Amino acid sequence: MKFYQITYWKIPPISVMTYWVHRPLDGESLNTATLFDPPRPGPVPGEGWPVLMVEIDGVELVFTSLAELDTYVEVMSRQPLPTTRELSREKPIGPNKHWLSRMPKKAKSTKHREKAIKYLSEIRGAFAAVAERPF
C-alpha cells in the first residue's frame, strides 16, 4: 500500500534527515541557524511549513524539503546500498545516528527501494509545488 499527504506545521519542521542534508551556515544548530546549504523551504503564507508524509508498505517516511527527498532517492538508488559509516564521515556524530541506520530492515531491501523510488518520483511534483520556497 502506498499513501502520501502534505501537511503544514506551524514551526519549522525537523525530520530525521534534516541534520544530514541541510548544513547550517550562520549558526551552530538547526534551531539557531537561518541560512542553510542547501536552503530549507520557508512557510506557505497562511498555512505553515510543508511536510511530506509518505507510507509505502508500512514504512513511514517524512520529508521537510525537496533536498531531503532527493537525497533519500539518490542514496536508496545506489547499488550496493552504502553503509552509514560511509555516509556519516563528514559529520561529527557517529554512523548509528545516521538517517539510514534508523530505517527498518525491510526499507533497505532492493524490492522495497525500487518501489519507494518509483513512488517518490511520481509524487515529487506535488511536494515541489509547495516546498520550493527557500527559508
Side-chain angles (χ1 to χ4, degrees), residues 52-100:
L52 176 63
M53 304 176 87
V54 182
E55 182 180 335
I56 303 168
D57 295 338
V59 176
E60 296 176 3
L61 306 170
V62 177
F63 303 101
T64 66
S65 69
L66 285 175
E68 291 179 17
L69 178 78
D70 293 342
T71 297
Y72 182 89
V73 169
E74 188 274 323
V75 169
M76 297 305 254
S77 296
R78 294 187 203 173
Q79 293 291 347
L81 189 63
T83 66
T84 55
R85 188 173 308 275
E86 291 173 65
L87 295 171
S88 64
R89 281 192 183 125
E90 297 177 12
K91 295 284 189 172
I93 62 175
N96 197 34
K97 299 233 184 231
H98 192 276
W99 63 265
L100 185 59

Side-chain angles (χ1 to χ4, degrees), residues 27-54:
E28 301 233 350
S29 73
L30 294 171
N31 294 324
T32 60
T34 59
L35 297 172
F36 299 90
D37 180 35
R40 292 179 67 196
V44 173
E47 296 284 343
W49 280 264
V51 176
L52 176 63
M53 304 176 87
V54 182

